[in-house]
């Protein structure tokens, strides 16, 4: 059974973009692999933030992940800062990572170009990411397309450390190319993301979901009810593919191409499909929120297990490097 590591930023409650794009896959992977999942709060402090807000967003993310189907009996879930060994290994990796490699990272260049004063944490972010993965000697990492370059850096760090200390200790983690979907926002313009304000929350009330779906952008060619459309260019169709049964998806495509129905009818069917999947998740979240001690217990048990694994890695790494244990 391969070991998998993946992390998610504590951005508060999940939205359906990160649910369909990553977390639904995490849930499936927990039945086939040894999965370690982390809410990466050390990564979240590389920008401006309010401490109380970070605490709340971390908690909300834990609720969302568990409600979405992560099962603490099947996987390990923890908050990154509860296992500070990640940062110790990151420091060690800083000593084998060339500055040029970090400066070449696209995400760094994008973010740094928008800031007047760039923090070192932003530059070193991928080194901490390498430590997150390699401290568990994980072999597989489910990645989105925007993370492939960072994973390549983790592989490079593993190679360099192994070469420098003459051992084959860290595996080169492989990307797990999963059937993840890139979900566009309701504006149909950009990837669904909280910063764009174009999301539907995974735990949002049914009325609020409909209020967002109703005006959502569709195929611009469907100006009148009688104009035929092209489902493939419509975000609502892609959401059908994620939430509706295959027969319904086929029906949607046919109705769209022949102007057999209007977009509002199409959205009502989507809404029903979404509710079938999201209602049990919302109910589980409400149950979890009523038992905060259970969430704390799950996160502590996850951190406890991870600390044991992380300490063992650090012990072996430090011994090979001539550092005091
Ligand atoms: S009918 Fe459905 S798939 Fe076609 S454009 Fe309207 S909302 Fe999109």
């Amino acid at each position: 059974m391969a070991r998998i590591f993946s992390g998610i930023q504590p951005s508060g409650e999940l939205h359906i973009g990160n649910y369909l794009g990553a977390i639904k896959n995490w849930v499936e992977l927990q039945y086939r692999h040894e999965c370690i999942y982390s809410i990466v709060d050390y990564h979240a402090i590389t920008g401006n933030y309010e401490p109380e807000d970070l605490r709340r967003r971390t908690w909300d993310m834990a609720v969302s992940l568990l409600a979405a189907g992560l099962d603490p009996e099947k996987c390990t879930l923890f908050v990154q800062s509860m296992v500070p060994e990640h940062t110790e290994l990151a420091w060690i990796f800083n000593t084998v990572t060339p500055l040029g490699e970090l400066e070449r990272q696209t995400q760094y260049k994008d973010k740094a170009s928008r800031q007047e004063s760039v923090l070192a944490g932003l530059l070193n972010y991928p080194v901490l990411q390498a430590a997150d993965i390699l401290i568990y000697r994980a072999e597989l990492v489910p990645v989105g397309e925007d993370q492939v370059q960072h994973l390549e850096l983790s592989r490079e760090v593993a190679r360099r450390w192994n070469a420098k200390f003459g051992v084959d200790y860290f595996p080169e983690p492989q990307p797990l190319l999963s059937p993840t979907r890139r979900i566009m926002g309701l504006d149909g313009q950009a990837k669904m993301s909280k910063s764009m304000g174009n999301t539907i929350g995974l735990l949002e009330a049914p009325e609020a979901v409909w209020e967002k779906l109703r005006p959502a952008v569709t195929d611009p060619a469907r100006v009148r009810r009688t104009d035929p459309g092209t489902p493939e260019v419509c975000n609502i169709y892609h959401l059908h593919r994620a939430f509706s049964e295959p027969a319904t998806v086929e029906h949607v495509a046919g109705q769209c191409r022949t102007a057999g129905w209007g977009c509002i009818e199409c959205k009502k069917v989507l809404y029903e499909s979404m509710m079938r999947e999201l209602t049990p998740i919302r109910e589980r979240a409400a149950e979890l929120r009523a038992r905060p001690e259970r969430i704390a217990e799950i996160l502590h048990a996850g951190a406890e297990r991870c600390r044991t694994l992380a300490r063992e890695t650090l012990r072996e790494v430090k011994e090979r490097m001539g550092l005091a244990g």
Side-chain angles (χ1 to χ4, degrees):
M1 206 188 248
R3 184 177 284 170
I4 284 183
F5 177 89
S6 199
I8 189 164
Q9 288 253 2
S11 54
E13 286 180 6
L14 287 170
H15 56 71
I16 61 168
N18 36 42
Y19 170 66
L20 297 171
I23 306 307
K24 211 171 158 174
N25 188 40
W26 284 17
V27 173
E28 283 164 22
L29 290 172
Q30 71 183 340
Y31 299 108
R32 288 185 276 128
H33 297 284
E34 183 197 348
C35 295
I36 299 175
Y37 296 133
S38 180
I39 302 173
V40 290
D41 56 349
Y42 274 140
H43 286 285
I45 58 173
T46 52
N48 288 330
Y49 73 98
E50 290 295 328
E52 259 324 299
D53 188 44
L54 176 62
R55 220 184 310 279
R56 180 191 56 74
R57 286 189 280 115
T58 303
W59 188 258
D60 286 345
M61 179 54 77
V63 171
S64 283
L65 292 173
L66 293 167
L70 290 192
D71 176 353
E73 299 293 320
K74 300 281 176 213
C75 69
T76 302
L77 175 66
F78 73 105
V79 178
Q80 187 185 27
S81 61
M82 291 169 84
V83 186
E85 285 79 1
H86 286 231
T87 54
E88 189 174 351
L89 187 61
W91 173 253
I92 287 171
F93 284 164
N94 270 320
T95 65
V96 296
T97 309
L99 184 60
E101 295 275 348
L102 297 176
E103 286 171 336
R104 269 196 292 280
Q105 297 292 309
T106 311
Q107 281 193 15
Y108 168 74
K109 285 197 285 188
D110 280 357
K111 289 187 178 166
S113 67
R114 284 182 260 126
Q115 295 177 12
E116 225 165 80
S117 163
V118 179
L119 300 174
L122 187 65
L123 180 71
N124 291 329
Y125 188 110
V127 182
L128 180 56
Q129 238 174 14
D132 295 339
I133 299 164
L134 295 173
I135 205 159
Y136 303 110
R137 301 170 76 202
E139 298 142 277
L140 294 172
V141 182
V143 281
E145 55 202 43
D146 48 350
Q147 289 295 315
V148 170
Q149 197 186 23
H150 280 180
L151 183 63
E152 185 44 50
L153 188 98
S154 298
R155 292 156 54 79
E156 176 71 18
V157 166
R159 275 196 292 274
R160 282 176 181 270
W161 191 91
N162 286 346
K164 186 162 180 177
F165 296 100
V167 281
D168 191 17
Y169 181 68
F170 287 115
E172 286 183 35
Q174 303 296 321
L176 189 64
L177 299 169
S178 47
T180 52
R181 296 164 191 274
R182 183 182 158 94
I183 298 295
M184 299 297 280
L186 297 176
D187 50 10
Q189 302 296 312
K191 186 177 163 186
M192 188 174 276
S193 102
K194 276 194 181 151
S195 60
M196 299 296 289
N198 61 7
T199 62
I200 292 181
L202 188 68
L203 309 178
E204 259 185 88
E207 315 76 58
V209 172
W210 178 245
E211 280 312 305
K212 288 183 172 179
L213 270 187
R214 200 166 41 83
V217 170
T218 63
D219 176 1
R222 296 212 67 188
V223 180
R224 289 176 299 262
R225 163 73 178 75
T226 49
D227 292 333
T230 308
E232 289 76 13
V233 305
C234 176
N235 197 28
I236 297 297
Y237 176 67
H238 292 293
L239 289 172
H240 268 295
R241 290 181 57 193
F243 285 107
S244 298
E245 297 292 328
T248 308
V249 175
E250 212 173 298
H251 181 67
V252 169
Q255 292 291 85
C256 181
R257 284 199 182 93
T258 58
W261 65 10
C263 291
I264 285 290
E265 282 165 277
C266 184
K267 289 174 176 176
K268 279 184 184 156
V269 175
L270 172 64
Y271 172 78
E272 293 304 326
S273 300
M274 287 177 69
M275 286 306 114
R276 256 194 305 282
E277 184 157 343
L278 301 185
T279 302
I281 294 176
R282 222 177 33 251
E283 288 172 356
R284 268 200 301 275
E287 284 165 24
L288 282 161
R289 284 195 195 283
R291 295 176 60 206
E293 70 293 345
R294 175 66 189 136
I295 300 173
E297 192 187 344
I298 290 167
L299 295 177
H300 274 104
E304 197 55 40
R305 170 159 190 269
C306 286
R307 285 200 88 170
T308 305
L309 295 171
R311 280 185 186 139
E312 180 54 23
T313 300
L314 271 177
R315 192 189 61 73
E316 296 192 47
V317 164
K318 289 165 87 173
E319 191 181 306
R320 287 183 168 98
M321 293 179 74
L323 294 164

